[in-house]
Amino acid sequence: KVLIDVPRSDLAEELAQSQTKVQVLQDTLQQVLDRREEERQSRQLLELYLEALKNEDSILSKAAESDTVPRAEMDVVDTGTSRTGPSAQTTLSDQILAALKEKPAPELCLDSQDLELVLKEDTEALASALQWDKQKAEAVQQACDQELSKRLQQVQALHSLRSTSKGKKTLP
């Protein structure tokens, strides 16, 4: 770092080299420092991602332990409304419905696939199945949408870092 900050003419004189060679040296040193900083930032992001995965896994395992209904069972909830009106059925599993109803932040307890199922669900059917008003069901769907978007951004950032780091390896 010190060699980069030294004026080129002083460094050239001290090393008995031309200013052009000193400039190449300083540029190379700067590239090395930049690469180290990028690697440090990549490691930090990866550590955050791994920590988030651990937290998600622990939340999911706690949710799985508290629910006795197997995930594979998908129930259709019929609320008794007319079939000619909007759909009043939901194909969400009992576990997803329980998480939505009982957890303070259900979007954090559900995996990405479950978040997608909640988003695809008809809002009125969801509200009916949970015995909520439509606004509360919409709010939960929005929270699920935001959480899913956040997770996708994290994955995209990791892919970007991976492709950036692969590109750096090919440099001399």
Side-chain angles (χ1 to χ4, degrees):
K1 174 111 173 94
V2 174
L3 291 176
I4 294 171
D5 296 333
V6 174
R8 195 172 298 132
S9 58
D10 294 348
L11 188 57
E13 191 177 308
E14 188 67 35
L15 295 174
Q17 297 290 328
S18 69
Q19 285 194 19
T20 307
K21 286 185 179 181
V22 169
Q23 180 179 1
V24 170
L25 173 66
Q26 286 180 322
D27 289 346
T28 303
L29 291 172
Q30 185 63 53
Q31 288 174 355
V32 169
L33 289 175
D34 291 346
R35 188 174 63 236
R36 285 183 183 170
E37 178 61 19
E38 287 176 6
E39 289 170 354
R40 185 190 64 77
Q41 290 175 357
S42 296
R43 277 193 306 273
Q44 281 183 329
L45 184 59
L46 184 58
E47 287 171 4
L48 286 172
Y49 176 73
L50 293 173
E51 186 177 323
L53 280 178
K54 267 192 234 176
N55 290 340
E56 184 178 330
D57 286 345
S58 69
I59 289 171
L60 290 174
S61 64
K62 287 178 187 175
E65 288 172 9
S66 66
D67 293 328
T68 57
V69 177
R71 259 183 107 74
E73 291 182 20
M74 295 292 242
D75 293 336
V76 175
V77 177
D78 187 353
T79 58
T81 57
S82 169
R83 303 251 180 199
T84 58
S87 172
Q89 294 183 350
T90 179
T91 56
L92 298 177
S93 71
D94 287 343
Q95 180 181 358
I96 295 173
L97 291 172
L100 291 172
K101 197 166 191 171
E102 298 168 6
K103 305 291 181 182
E107 67 276 8
L108 300 177
C109 300
L110 298 173
D111 63 25
S112 297
Q113 187 177 11
D114 290 344
L115 291 175
E116 288 177 0
L117 291 173
V118 172
L119 290 175
K120 290 178 185 176
E121 192 61 53
D122 179 68
T123 307
E124 289 181 23
L126 182 63
S128 180
L130 296 170
Q131 298 173 346
W132 289 350
D133 61 28
K134 189 175 177 181
Q135 289 175 330
K136 189 171 181 181
E138 285 175 348
V140 166
Q141 283 182 314
Q142 282 182 333
C144 289
D145 187 29
Q146 290 172 352
E147 178 63 22
L148 188 60
S149 295
K150 186 175 86 174
R151 291 178 190 180
L152 290 174
Q153 287 174 350
Q154 289 174 340
V155 169
Q156 288 171 347
L158 281 175
H159 286 297
S160 175
L161 283 172
R162 185 176 297 138
S163 65
T164 300
S165 66
K166 283 181 183 177
K168 296 286 183 185
K169 289 179 184 175
T170 60
L171 293 175

